[in-house]
Amino acid sequence: MTAPATTTPGRLVHEYRARGAAHDAMTLRDEEVVLAGAAGTGKSRGAMEKLNLAALLNPGMRGLILRKTATSLTSSALKTWERDIVKEAMRDGSVWFHGGSTREPPAYKYSNGSSVAIGGMDKPIKVMSTEYDMAYVQEATELNEDEWESLTSRMRNGVMSFQQIIADCNPAHPTHWLKQRAARPHSKLVGKKQTVLLVSKHEDNPLYFNADGTMTEKGAAYMARLDGLTGVRRLRLRDGIWAAAEGVIYDEWDESIHIIDRFDVPADWPRFWSIDFGYVHPFVWQDWTQ
């Protein structure tokens, strides 16, 4: 279980006891490690605890917290980071937030010279212009494989004895590039996969489950909400299954990627119509813009 951290004179105490996939991830030194599972399994907390530990143990280490869009970090990863992981250190003053500049991204600075930058692939110039020892990617399924591989090229700071991308995600469709990458043999290391995929379960989260496997009060309420989900959302977020929507022909379809907020299309963008007259199946007319 996770116990509240305390501060005693001359000593800063932060306690975290990892379980399941989060526990396994702590000791892995593979280049790419992904904790995949249903919603609320504690995978984000586990990944960021490792990132913070690496910063504490390796003076001068450079870390990164990344998501597809930088703004989405504020209400997700950074909330957990400041509330559960570096709260005591920020209160103590041994970790502080630096808002960035024209030359560097915003970052959490450590008194030992380490730093953990934050950013998104929507504005990659600042975060991709620096070399890192470890990067945490939240909801890695939001990225495409080109973005992921671009990030791997930045893992070369050399302060740590190993460089690593550690990420988390909820399952997407079965043929998602990340799941396929996890099944692909490593190009150089015999017997290794390109990406290590760890299965994170609800029982791994001490907020929702006790060590003996029984639910906590919060766990019972949270699981009840997940039990109310239906269709592909239930399969992915409740059961942790890489599933496509029922009846989908192209199983690469992913709502998190292929549905965007409505906006006014500029008048000078090229437009195209495509038509299927439907001699057997219903008529289809589509309006496209590029």
Side-chain angles (χ1 to χ4, degrees), residues 225-245:
R225 289 200 298 272
L226 292 183
D227 286 338
L229 298 175
T230 59
V232 70
R233 286 186 180 86
R234 179 184 174 88
L235 292 174
R236 294 179 182 177
L237 301 181
R238 168 63 177 83
D239 302 329
I241 297 173
W242 295 77

Side-chain angles (χ1 to χ4, degrees), residues 69-269:
T69 62
T71 54
S72 59
L73 284 173
T74 305
S75 60
S76 53
L78 298 187
K79 183 177 179 181
T80 301
W81 178 260
E82 293 194 358
R83 181 192 62 200
D84 299 326
I85 299 168
V86 296
K87 179 177 71 173
E88 301 85 13
M90 293 188 73
R91 184 187 303 157
D92 176 71
S94 55
V95 173
W96 63 95
F97 180 71
H98 171 64
S101 67
T102 56
R103 294 182 299 172
E104 60 179 358
Y108 292 88
K109 302 286 188 176
Y110 289 66
S111 58
N112 67 353
S114 294
S115 64
V116 174
I118 59 175
M121 293 304 294
D122 54 335
K123 298 178 180 179
I125 295 177
K126 287 185 180 180
V127 294
M128 295 299 285
S129 63
T130 303
E131 297 173 350
Y132 300 98
D133 294 284
M134 179 177 289
Y136 160 62
V137 181
Q138 186 174 51
E139 287 302 331
T141 49
E142 295 176 349
L143 274 61
N144 59 51
E145 194 164 12
D146 285 343
E147 291 170 330
W148 179 272
E149 292 191 345
S150 294
L151 185 59
T152 64
S153 71
R154 311 316 299 166
M155 299 296 109
R156 59 184 187 189
N157 193 46
V159 170
M160 291 172 50
S161 59
F162 67 100
Q163 274 67 54
Q164 183 179 83
I165 296 177
I166 184 167
D168 67 49
C169 69
N170 298 130
H173 55 82
T175 57
H176 192 280
W177 68 263
L178 187 57
K179 193 169 189 300
Q180 292 181 331
R181 190 177 181 89
R184 189 184 307 156
H186 196 284
S187 59
K188 297 180 180 178
L189 302 177
V190 178
K192 291 280 190 176
K193 299 295 185 183
Q194 190 75 38
T195 303
V196 176
L197 188 67
L198 302 174
V199 178
S200 183
K201 300 179 180 179
H202 289 113
E203 289 79 5
D204 297 347
N205 192 342
L207 182 64
Y208 298 143
F209 279 83
N210 297 309
D212 61 3
T214 59
M215 283 189 199
T216 64
E217 185 176 344
K218 289 184 178 180
Y222 183 72
M223 296 304 293
R225 289 200 298 272
L226 292 183
D227 286 338
L229 298 175
T230 59
V232 70
R233 286 186 180 86
R234 179 184 174 88
L235 292 174
R236 294 179 182 177
L237 301 181
R238 168 63 177 83
D239 302 329
I241 297 173
W242 295 77
E246 185 177 354
V248 168
I249 295 174
Y250 302 104
D251 62 6
E252 292 85 358
W253 170 263
D254 189 333
E255 291 184 2
S256 68
I257 298 174
H258 300 121
I259 293 182
I260 62 174
D261 294 334
R262 184 180 296 275
F263 66 97
D264 293 330
V265 177
D268 60 345
W269 284 18

Side-chain angles (χ1 to χ4, degrees), residues 16-36 41-43 45-51 53 134 162 164-167 192 196-201 203-205:
Y16 170 73
R17 299 180 185 176
R19 292 185 193 164
H23 177 273
D24 295 340
M26 283 290 176
T27 58
L28 290 177
R29 295 191 167 204
D30 299 77
E31 297 168 354
E32 303 173 17
V33 177
V34 177
L35 290 80
T41 63
K43 48 192 181 291
R45 172 80 186 269
M48 286 190 287
E49 287 282 1
K50 182 174 184 178
L51 178 63
L53 183 61
M134 179 177 289
F162 67 100
Q164 183 179 83
I165 296 177
I166 184 167
K192 291 280 190 176
V196 176
L197 188 67
L198 302 174
V199 178
S200 183
K201 300 179 180 179
E203 289 79 5
D204 297 347
N205 192 342

